[in-house]
Amino acid sequence: MSGLRLGPLEVPAPVVLAPMAGITNAAYRRLCAEQGAGLYVCEMITSRGLVEGDETTRRMLVFDEAEKVRSVQLYGTDPVYVGKATRILCEEYGVAHVDLNFGCPVPKVTRKGGGGALPWKRNLLGRILEEAVAAAAPYDVPVTMKTRKGLDDDHLTYLDAGRIAQDAGCAAIALHGRTVAQAYSGQADWDAIAALVEHVDIPVLGNGDIWEAADALRMVEQTGVAGIVVGRGCLGRPWLFRDLAAAFSDDGPGETTLPTLGEVTVMMRRHAELLCEHMGEERGCKEFRKHVTWYLKGFRAGGELRRSLGLVDSLATLDRLLADLDPAEPFPASELGAPRGRQGAPRHRVVLPEGWLDDTDGLGDGCSGVLEDVDETTGG
């Protein structure tokens, strides 16, 4: 399978790192990019925060010196703000790709009509996409969108969203094969992804339950997607992008080599080092702590050592603790294909603005929900 084309942007491998709050910062994107070619998306930022000059939002827009293709996911509920934010990203930050988030299932987002709730308002969705595409056009920057199947099984929106994205001039649409109500529980519906591929002419990217490179190949075969989006599957496993790049190469997948614990510790050290380069040693080590459990999932590392690694405060301490791990220990086969990160349970009710389901327009007075907070950060 060849690379991925998003308008004028050529991505060598059809693989996209999904933005994850607190995870896909410049250090982690660099780490994953060192493993294999693909597109690595910055943590999601809000259009309002960017337009109004929010300091937290601006701090999130940090890129590694090796990051040649800058990709950012933008969240917003107001077409004017989204358009202005898109222009700022292109003009001031040299971004080469803008993705719009219409998939976030978090209640604090959906209660304002944002994220996965917004595609219910078809006309509002179209206006937002049109504003973003128009703002990016002078810079030759492709705009894509990410969405979910719908609010729940009784309120599906993904086929309409695909048509609207195509009509608005989007370069591609990514579909997470779950509803907002499902959040991250259950299994992703790859049949829905295949249906969207049949429904639109623009490239469709598939998201959901990509835990191994073999899953990605199976998704492409079953759905016909032009590329895949990886989120939770790479937590504590940045080498997944190496496996994915190999799987999609002209030479074919070949045989996947699982890392030993010694090779995993090298990756952990590199991750911490990059975090410290970008944030300073104290903050970088604190940021690294959350990744320890993911890296060591399934390995025999003792509880006391794990606790100490979870409190690491310097690279010297990290080196000392990593030296206590058995470098020859093989990768735990039980973890292959196993879900990673948050899962949770499905929600009985999606939190929405009052009267949200009454119409599918969203452009009338009082129908467009509540403007997002300037520092809203999450993912989809």
Side-chain angles (χ1 to χ4, degrees), residues 211-228:
W211 311 114
E212 310 293 340
D215 298 325
L217 293 175
R218 189 162 50 86
M219 177 184 277
V220 170
E221 183 179 347
Q222 288 186 16
T223 67
V225 289
I228 56 106

Side-chain angles (χ1 to χ4, degrees), residues 123-146:
N123 292 335
L124 176 60
L125 175 65
R127 183 70 62 82
I128 290 175
L129 292 173
E130 288 165 4
E131 290 285 343
V133 169
Y139 306 93
D140 211 20
V141 169
V143 173
T144 61
M145 69 168 281
K146 183 181 180 184

Side-chain angles (χ1 to χ4, degrees), residues 75-87:
Y75 158 67
T77 57
D78 183 278
V80 174
Y81 269 98
V82 171
K84 288 180 178 179
T86 300
R87 181 188 57 75

Side-chain angles (χ1 to χ4, degrees), residues 146-223:
K146 183 181 180 184
T147 190
R148 284 177 173 247
K149 288 172 55 182
L151 298 171
D152 52 38
D153 288 336
D154 295 323
H155 301 87
L156 300 178
T157 55
Y158 68 103
L159 294 180
D160 283 347
R163 174 186 52 79
I164 292 166
Q166 181 170 298
D167 292 346
C170 287
I173 178 171
L175 177 62
H176 185 155
R178 289 180 171 89
T179 62
V180 174
Q182 278 183 273
Y184 299 94
S185 67
Q187 283 190 308
D189 181 1
W190 289 7
D191 288 341
I193 296 172
L196 183 59
V197 171
E198 289 294 317
H199 188 68
V200 297
D201 297 323
I202 58 175
V204 174
L205 309 179
N207 180 215
D209 296 351
I210 303 294
W211 311 114
E212 310 293 340
D215 298 325
L217 293 175
R218 189 162 50 86
M219 177 184 277
V220 170
E221 183 179 347
Q222 288 186 16
T223 67

Side-chain angles (χ1 to χ4, degrees), residues 224-236:
V225 289
I228 56 106
V229 179
V230 178
R232 295 172 296 151
C234 70
L235 294 174

Side-chain angles (χ1 to χ4, degrees), residues 108-376:
K108 69 178 180 180
V109 170
T110 61
R111 72 163 42 96
K112 298 175 183 179
L118 197 139
W120 181 257
K121 303 295 189 184
R122 274 68 163 181
N123 292 335
L124 176 60
L125 175 65
R127 183 70 62 82
I128 290 175
L129 292 173
E130 288 165 4
E131 290 285 343
V133 169
Y139 306 93
D140 211 20
V141 169
V143 173
T144 61
M145 69 168 281
K146 183 181 180 184
T147 190
R148 284 177 173 247
K149 288 172 55 182
L151 298 171
D152 52 38
D153 288 336
D154 295 323
H155 301 87
L156 300 178
T157 55
Y158 68 103
L159 294 180
D160 283 347
R163 174 186 52 79
I164 292 166
Q166 181 170 298
D167 292 346
C170 287
I173 178 171
L175 177 62
H176 185 155
R178 289 180 171 89
T179 62
V180 174
Q182 278 183 273
Y184 299 94
S185 67
Q187 283 190 308
D189 181 1
W190 289 7
D191 288 341
I193 296 172
L196 183 59
V197 171
E198 289 294 317
H199 188 68
V200 297
D201 297 323
I202 58 175
V204 174
L205 309 179
N207 180 215
D209 296 351
I210 303 294
W211 311 114
E212 310 293 340
D215 298 325
L217 293 175
R218 189 162 50 86
M219 177 184 277
V220 170
E221 183 179 347
Q222 288 186 16
T223 67
V225 289
I228 56 106
V229 179
V230 178
R232 295 172 296 151
C234 70
L235 294 174
R237 301 173 69 224
W239 59 86
L240 178 58
F241 290 96
R242 175 200 65 196
D243 296 343
L244 289 165
F248 288 122
S249 71
D250 293 336
D251 297 330
E255 189 169 339
T256 300
T257 303
L258 297 175
T260 62
L261 181 52
E263 291 168 321
V264 171
T265 60
V266 170
M267 192 72 67
M268 294 172 73
R269 179 56 164 80
R270 177 62 175 156
H271 191 173
E273 177 185 296
L274 287 169
L275 284 168
C276 292
E277 283 181 12
H278 278 279
M279 303 176 177
E281 187 165 8
E282 182 179 0
R283 186 181 162 209
C285 286
K286 285 182 179 178
E287 281 290 318
F288 177 72
R289 294 172 183 174
K290 73 181 78 167
H291 297 272
V292 169
T293 300
W294 293 320
Y295 276 114
L296 296 182
K297 195 167 185 281
F299 284 107
R300 294 195 301 266
E304 186 58 42
L305 180 55
R306 288 174 184 264
R307 280 190 291 275
S308 296
L309 282 165
L311 296 171
V312 67
D313 56 4
S314 70
L315 290 176
T317 301
L318 178 63
D319 288 338
R320 177 174 55 78
L321 294 171
L322 292 179
D324 290 337
L325 293 168
D326 177 8
E329 184 179 342
F331 190 86
S334 61
E335 292 302 317
L336 295 176
R340 305 177 77 80
R342 56 187 169 177
Q343 290 172 269
R347 300 187 176 103
H348 298 298
R349 182 177 65 90
V350 178
V351 182
L352 299 167
E354 187 175 353
W356 190 251
L357 297 178
D358 293 348
D359 72 81
T360 59
D361 179 23
L363 293 175
D365 291 339
C367 293
S368 58
V370 182
L371 198 61
E372 72 272 9
D373 292 334
V374 295
D375 60 350
E376 198 78 73

